[in-house]
Amino acid sequence: MNRLRTAAAAVLATVALLATAPPPAALLGTEIRRLPTDERVLALTFNAAWNETGLDAVLNVLRDRGVPAAFFPTGDFADRHPGAVRAIAAAGHGLGNHSYSHPHFSELTADRARSEVRRADTAIRRAAGTEPLPFFRFPYSETTPQGITTVNELGYADLEFTADTNGYLGPGHGMTADRAVERALAALTPGAVLQLHVGATDEGGPDTCLDAEALPRIIDGALARGYRIIDLRTLLDR
């Protein structure tokens, strides 16, 4: 019994160091790929792991249209681009956790997995000057029951996505902004979570961020179809 109490206390202490308010129990124990609703709502999410390409354009579009989004930077991104993470927070958008170095979690020990989550949390807090959302997104969306248990114990719900625009692939892989828009709008369903990216890679096309180009038409198309774009933080109030 004493060992169980000690283990429980350790988990609670870890949670206190990470997300200040743990997510509702209904969000734990599973991967979330669609919001639990029948309403025509969707959430916009952006991963950030490479550089800042397209971020200013994305923030400007979100501001001009009065639309919320959640960003999932890696801890490495936060350390290399603290101003970008601070700008996201200052614009009022939530910041989730996308690990520190974007590894394949299926290849990690439990200790290494916990380290990836903790290091990212520390880096995001330091860069943003604010608390991260209690949402974790696995690199490559490679979820496992053990991985989900691990991030849950650290105070995070696993928030994945309904569909990815694939804009991150860039022109080098045959992607265009038009195709990114088509993929996003084709995936609309009540509670959809759309995954987009900021940043650019040499492979995808240096200094090219197709999702930034596609974003205005994705938002306008979703609104025209009767969808409302919501803040993921509404999940924490339930």
Side-chain angles (χ1 to χ4, degrees):
M1 182 64 71
N2 286 337
R3 284 198 299 273
L4 290 175
R5 288 173 178 164
T6 301
V11 169
L12 291 173
T14 300
V15 169
L17 288 172
L18 296 175
T20 52
L27 301 181
L28 303 179
T30 186
E31 60 180 23
I32 302 168
R33 294 194 175 272
R34 191 177 71 83
L35 307 181
T37 180
D38 293 324
E39 298 180 32
R40 284 195 167 196
V41 298
L42 74 142
L44 295 174
T45 67
F46 293 83
N47 293 354
W50 302 302
N51 56 37
E52 301 171 76
T53 300
L55 177 60
D56 286 345
V58 165
L59 292 178
N60 288 339
V61 170
L62 295 174
R63 180 199 64 210
D64 293 345
R65 283 167 168 74
V67 169
F71 290 77
F72 286 78
T74 63
D76 175 64
F77 178 92
D79 279 342
R80 289 184 292 111
H81 304 289
V85 175
R86 198 172 304 116
I88 293 168
H93 303 295
L95 288 159
N97 186 321
H98 196 37
S99 81
Y100 187 84
S101 64
H102 208 275
H104 291 274
F105 265 60
S106 60
E107 300 174 359
L108 303 183
T109 64
D111 284 345
R112 174 75 190 284
R114 284 190 286 268
S115 175
E116 281 283 334
V117 179
R118 290 178 177 131
R119 288 183 66 197
D121 183 274
T122 298
I124 293 165
R125 285 172 182 268
R126 181 169 54 235
T130 188
E131 303 292 345
L133 297 177
F135 293 116
F136 181 84
R137 175 169 287 165
F138 282 88
Y140 312 104
S141 198
E142 290 182 350
T143 65
T144 65
Q146 180 54 55
I148 292 171
T149 296
T150 296
V151 299
N152 287 172
E153 289 174 347
L154 293 174
Y156 284 90
D158 171 31
L159 194 287
E160 298 300 323
F161 52 90
T162 309
D164 190 320
T165 64
N166 281 356
Y168 73 95
L169 293 174
H173 289 274
M175 277 301 297
T176 65
D178 287 344
R179 291 188 64 189
V181 173
E182 291 169 2
R183 285 181 58 85
L185 297 183
L188 290 181
T189 188
V193 179
L194 297 183
Q195 176 173 276
L196 303 90
H197 292 75
V198 294
T201 66
D202 290 338
E203 182 181 1
D207 301 322
T208 299
C209 183
L210 294 181
D211 282 335
E213 297 178 33
L215 183 60
R217 283 182 286 159
I218 291 174
I219 293 173
D220 293 346
L223 296 177
R225 288 161 173 76
Y227 279 81
R228 181 166 48 93
I229 299 170
I230 65 170
D231 194 318
L232 285 176
R233 281 169 281 207
T234 61
L235 291 179
L236 305 177
D237 298 330
R238 300 183 178 183

